[in-house]
Amino acid sequence: MNIVIIGKGNVATNLDYAFRKKGVACQMVSSREGLDHLPAANVYIYAVRDEALPSVVKQVVGVGKSLHLHTSGTMPITVFGDDKPHAGVFYPFQTFSKARVIEDFSTVPVFFEARGIDDISAVYSLALSITSHVYETTQHDRERLHVAGVYACNFTNLMYTMAAELLQNTHIPFKALLPLIDETALKIHMLSPRDAQTGPARRGDTNVMNHHLELLSEEQRTLYQRLSEEIRKRQ
């Protein structure tokens, strides 16, 4: 089997590394450099931005019985037209960066969809070649998983950024927060997020919260109050 990954971004780079590490022939091509003369492949994986995916798909022609897969958490299979009857979704659920390639892809869950039974089997086998965590899903569930990922990863990372900003005018380095961050993440391997929740909002400690508000800008106060309200509502 050989694979062509269309795209050279974060997802493409990590998938290329994962497949190559398992001995699967893999090649990345840039979607911005023209796709008129793509190398022949059994599988084409489209690792491009959602807004670019429809136009990139249309550029790929004359590839016979090859399997076409996109890596989006939100785009439907129908982005592949009738000219690509063997199509599906190959959605690795992880945060990816070029600067930090994932060495052990076997722990990364891959969620997939496909049009027919033969394609389902093919995508499942492809996923198993790099990870032991493979799940067939639906468009409905995949969309909600993607949103859940934004909350669990992207918004959480924003909180790290804001925490770092709060420490900028102090003599305390951001790395002082790392043990707290690590323990918070480890706890939810054993407890539900609701049970793991701590802090002044969880305790209803209004004195502490009011003192915090005095230290924050107006914009920061608004977010602090909103998040604290959400914590209180869930207790």
Side-chain angles (χ1 to χ4, degrees):
M1 173 182 288
N2 65 319
I3 299 171
V4 166
I5 300 176
I6 301 172
K8 290 188 174 182
N10 294 330
V11 176
T13 300
N14 277 267
L15 283 178
D16 178 71
Y17 183 80
F19 283 119
R20 287 176 180 273
K21 194 172 181 181
K22 293 298 183 179
V24 179
C26 193
Q27 178 179 351
M28 286 192 294
V29 298
S30 173
S31 61
R32 299 177 181 177
E33 297 173 0
L35 302 173
D36 295 334
H37 303 288
L38 274 178
N42 303 111
V43 180
Y44 292 89
I45 298 178
Y46 299 69
V48 299
R49 295 177 181 271
D50 284 8
E51 59 267 27
L53 183 59
S55 63
V56 170
V57 167
K58 288 179 181 178
Q59 293 179 53
V60 178
V61 295
V63 288
K65 297 181 179 180
S66 301
L67 180 60
H68 298 262
L69 305 170
H70 72 65
T71 60
S72 169
T74 59
M75 296 294 284
I77 294 178
T78 53
V79 71
F80 298 110
D82 294 338
D83 63 319
K84 299 176 181 67
H86 302 287
V89 179
F90 190 93
Y91 178 42
F93 191 63
Q94 183 55 277
T95 175
F96 296 111
S97 299
K98 283 184 178 181
R100 180 180 166 83
V101 176
I102 293 177
E103 289 290 338
D104 183 10
F105 213 91
S106 66
T107 63
V108 177
V110 170
F111 295 85
F112 76 93
E113 299 174 53
R115 282 177 170 164
I117 187 65
D118 290 340
D119 293 338
I120 289 173
S121 177
V123 181
Y124 183 71
S125 296
L126 179 66
L128 280 179
S129 70
I130 57 174
T131 179
S132 57
H133 302 278
V134 184
Y135 308 91
E136 186 176 5
T137 188
T138 64
Q139 172 78 14
H140 174 277
D141 290 354
R142 178 165 48 89
E143 288 174 335
R144 280 146 187 82
L145 175 65
H146 190 263
V147 178
V150 169
Y151 274 90
C153 174
N154 307 134
F155 290 167
T156 300
N157 195 75
L158 173 62
M159 295 298 104
Y160 299 155
T161 301
M162 296 181 73
E165 291 170 353
L166 284 167
L167 294 177
Q168 280 180 351
N169 296 322
T170 74
H171 297 292
I172 302 171
F174 177 76
K175 66 181 181 181
L177 295 178
L178 295 181
L180 174 67
I181 291 170
D182 292 342
E183 178 61 20
T184 302
L186 286 171
K187 277 201 300 185
I188 60 172
H189 285 264
M190 297 175 288
L191 303 172
S192 71
R194 184 190 296 268
D195 290 339
Q197 186 70 61
T198 61
R202 170 67 177 81
R203 299 190 301 270
D205 195 335
T206 55
N207 288 335
V208 170
M209 289 190 288
N210 287 336
H211 181 64
H212 287 172
L213 292 172
E214 293 174 1
L215 303 175
L216 301 175
S217 68
E218 182 177 352
E219 186 177 83
Q220 291 169 332
R221 283 198 297 270
T222 299
L223 182 58
Y224 183 102
Q225 289 173 315
R226 186 72 182 91
L227 292 173
S228 295
E229 289 170 7
E230 291 298 325
I231 291 173
R232 292 296 298 158
K233 281 164 47 177
R234 285 166 171 76
Q235 302 312 313

